[in-house]
Amino acid sequence: MAPHVMTAEADRLVSHARVVLLALDGPLCRLFAPGGDEERLLADDLIAWLDGTGAGGTLPAAVRAGRDPYEVLAAVAEGPDEAVATALRARLTAAELRAVPKASPTPWADPLVRTWASLGVRTAVVTRHDAEAGSRYVAGRGLTDALPRVCGRGTGRREEFRYTLAGALASLGAERGDALFVGETPAHLAAARAAGVPFLGHARSAARETSLLEAGAQHLVGSLKFVLDALQPCPVPARADHGEA
């Protein structure tokens, strides 16, 4: 995918943001290995566990076929059996925590977060993953001072993320017009719209680009380097260390 340079409007959004909210998976790291195999196997494990408890019968066929662990959780969380939903959520959280040590940092994410912090911009992680997984990843990268707040999953219902985003904004005492949300999925875009927060899409692949454009995203970048350059008077050379070590 050809990278998207920063448009004048995207540059303005980045330069004027006093609060930045970032999704964990995508803008900050790849929690599970690229390609989706790990997530599909995790979904299979959750479904097999549900079937073993006898609670899998109510799982919609489309959710089974989709093999998305977060859709599996959402379907159960929106059902009547809270005990099963709680146990399934714990199983998913355990898998996320195991994945943290192997997570792959997104290129340029670490120096970008540190640059925002040095400029006095308040930042927070907003994620559909368990907050502890997000906190452990941030701490492991030495970013806790720059990213002191992680707002994570509650029940796992589909509509929950938009409230998590709005809650993170409120907890920072920020006005919507002073904020920016960096995400990479249509669900991220929908949450930003619901909260009235400007959105910058991280289109890391042609598939992500297509999905975001079809969802109506207006501002996309193929690399966080463009965002970092917009904050610095002297752009970082492309050959320089990304700060990911």
Side-chain angles (χ1 to χ4, degrees):
M1 182 192 72
H4 292 262
V5 298
M6 294 282 285
T7 64
E9 177 61 15
D11 189 289
R12 187 193 69 78
L13 291 176
V14 169
S15 300
H16 286 77
R18 304 314 305 155
V19 170
V20 175
L21 309 173
L22 301 109
L24 174 68
D25 198 43
L28 285 178
C29 71
R30 203 54 73 232
L31 186 60
F32 296 102
D37 286 346
E38 285 190 9
E39 286 188 297
R40 286 188 286 271
L41 289 172
L42 176 54
D44 291 345
D45 173 77
L46 298 180
I47 292 170
W49 180 85
L50 284 169
D51 289 341
T53 65
T58 60
L59 201 64
V63 174
R64 284 182 177 271
R67 301 178 72 192
D68 181 333
Y70 298 95
E71 286 297 311
V72 174
L73 174 60
V76 175
E78 291 164 7
D81 197 327
E82 292 185 9
V84 170
T86 298
L88 186 72
R89 192 161 48 245
R91 195 173 184 89
L92 178 55
T93 295
E96 291 171 338
L97 293 175
R98 289 194 299 270
V100 168
K102 301 179 293 182
S104 302
T106 298
W108 304 100
D110 288 16
L112 176 58
V113 168
R114 292 190 180 103
T115 297
W116 266 319
S118 73
L119 294 172
V121 176
R122 289 171 291 164
T123 56
V125 177
V126 183
T127 179
R128 65 176 180 173
H129 302 85
D130 184 76
E132 179 61 23
S135 295
R136 289 190 189 184
Y137 175 79
V138 169
R141 300 300 299 170
L143 296 172
T144 302
D145 288 344
L147 274 174
R149 187 180 299 272
V150 177
C151 301
R153 181 174 60 238
T155 64
R157 292 181 173 91
R158 290 180 182 85
E159 297 299 313
E160 181 180 73
F161 187 78
R162 64 184 61 188
Y163 300 114
T164 305
L165 180 64
L169 190 65
S171 71
L172 291 169
E175 297 293 332
R176 292 175 294 179
D178 293 331
L180 178 68
F181 178 45
V182 183
E184 71 164 38
T185 69
H188 292 159
L189 173 61
R193 284 173 170 166
V197 177
F199 178 80
L200 179 66
H202 178 233
R204 61 183 170 90
S205 67
R208 289 295 189 195
E209 175 188 12
T210 298
S211 65
L212 284 169
L213 289 174
E214 289 179 348
Q218 296 181 333
H219 308 296
L220 304 179
V221 288
S223 169
L224 294 181
K225 180 181 182 297
F226 297 125
V227 184
L228 182 61
D229 286 351
L231 297 173
Q232 296 180 324
C234 297
V236 178
R239 64 179 180 277
D241 177 24
H242 295 180
E244 304 302 335

